[in-house]
Amino acid sequence: MTTRAKTIYVAGHTGLVGHALCPQIQAAGCARLVVRTHQELELTDQAAVDAFFAAERPDSVVLLAGRVGGILANNTYPGDFIEQNLLIQTNVLRAALRAHVRRLLFFGSVCIYPREAAVPVREAALLTGPLEATNDAYAVAKIAGILQCHAYNRQHGTQYLGLMPANLYGPHDNFHPHDAHVIPALLRRFHEAAQRGDASVTLCGTGAPRREFLFADDLARAAVQLLQLDDAAWGALLAESRYPIVNAGSGEEVTIRDLAEQIRALTGFRGEIVWDTTKPDGTPSRMMDSTRMRRLGWQPLVPLSAGLAQAYRWFAGRK
């Protein structure tokens, strides 16, 4: 860690990325890691968040916490997604500013970029076109967080940076049958279908969209690498683009159809895959340009096949 990072507060440590990130932060030499569960600190409660920051006075903050989910959850609960994420982000960013936290790492998502952005998507594509309609509420909330970081940096001299990952997966993911992202959703669907001996599994869309996936441990390494930058390097990264964001992706895409076939084989499901083409596909492609992150020396280490196997072992071990 940098000399400033004597105390790091990780908001959202119980989630997918938090489970991967916290051990890596500790291994990198953070003197004090501060975490709170949802039961211990309600991040939508402004007074509670203000009191926590006043008491703990962290040097740096990693903001992972938020409402997340797959295309079905985003389409079904858009009001919840925009409300809860805006409240959490605003409260944490505001409290960090008041507590004089100069360096903060804000986690976003590839969905902040326009639906028709040129692929691979560069950071400069932000706010250049319409969003994907199936998750626009979540995307707008995350964009608001980025702009809040940007505004604080301009007005108050803070160094708040957004890390925009590709689609994430791994152990400790959310495998909820309705709210999960595509990989945990497919792992659960095929696992349970195999256990029951089902003749078929029906999946939404055509299977044609291409997605870039990043294993959670690889994203955690990217975050730690950023947190280890000295002030000059961190400031240079902020100055490189109009908005304070940097992409982190695997650099490889796979169609949803091919992904489903890999997961079918992994789980041992022997039935048919039926595609319900009346359901939306979402954005055709979302591969990101991660050149700026790679220039810092970071690169993903876990290929999709190995990452899927690790995620499935973790899920199957809980069943």
Side-chain angles (χ1 to χ4, degrees), residues 133-201:
T134 56
N135 56 18
D136 56 0
Y138 176 74
V140 166
K142 286 298 179 181
I143 291 170
I146 293 166
L147 293 183
Q148 190 173 354
C149 290
H150 181 53
Y152 282 1
N153 291 348
R154 291 170 58 201
Q155 183 175 345
H156 301 291
T158 53
Q159 292 189 331
Y160 294 177
L161 174 67
L163 180 56
M164 304 297 117
N167 296 276
L168 297 170
Y169 72 103
H172 302 281
D173 209 338
N174 173 18
F175 288 84
H176 189 279
H178 302 296
D179 294 348
H181 286 103
V182 60
I183 284 181
L186 291 179
L187 285 169
R188 178 168 186 155
R189 290 284 304 281
F190 282 112
H191 173 83
E192 293 180 347
Q195 295 293 307
R196 292 190 301 262
D198 292 350
S200 66
V201 166

Side-chain angles (χ1 to χ4, degrees), residues 204-228:
C204 295
T206 65
R210 304 181 67 84
R211 291 290 180 268
E212 178 184 27
F213 295 101
L214 184 66
F215 195 63
D217 282 14
D218 281 333
L219 178 64
R221 288 190 305 99
V224 169
Q225 186 149 355
L226 290 173
L227 292 169
Q228 288 178 316

Side-chain angles (χ1 to χ4, degrees), residues 110-115 117 121-131 136 139-148 150 242-245:
V110 64
C111 74
I112 64 166
Y113 293 116
R115 173 183 169 85
V121 184
R122 300 177 61 212
E123 292 89 347
L126 182 64
L127 296 177
T128 61
L131 300 166
D136 56 0
V140 166
K142 286 298 179 181
I143 291 170
I146 293 166
L147 293 183
Q148 190 173 354
H150 181 53
R242 179 178 180 185
Y243 296 107
I245 54 176

Side-chain angles (χ1 to χ4, degrees), residues 52-68:
F52 166 78
F53 270 82
E56 295 294 341
R57 311 295 295 186
D59 300 289
S60 297
V61 171
V62 178
L63 179 46
L64 296 169
R67 176 73 181 268
V68 297

Side-chain angles (χ1 to χ4, degrees), residues 254-273:
V254 61
T255 66
I256 298 301
R257 186 177 295 272
D258 287 344
L259 176 68
E261 292 291 349
Q262 288 189 50
I263 293 177
R264 168 161 65 173
L266 179 63
T267 60
F269 176 67
R270 299 182 181 278
E272 179 186 7
I273 298 176

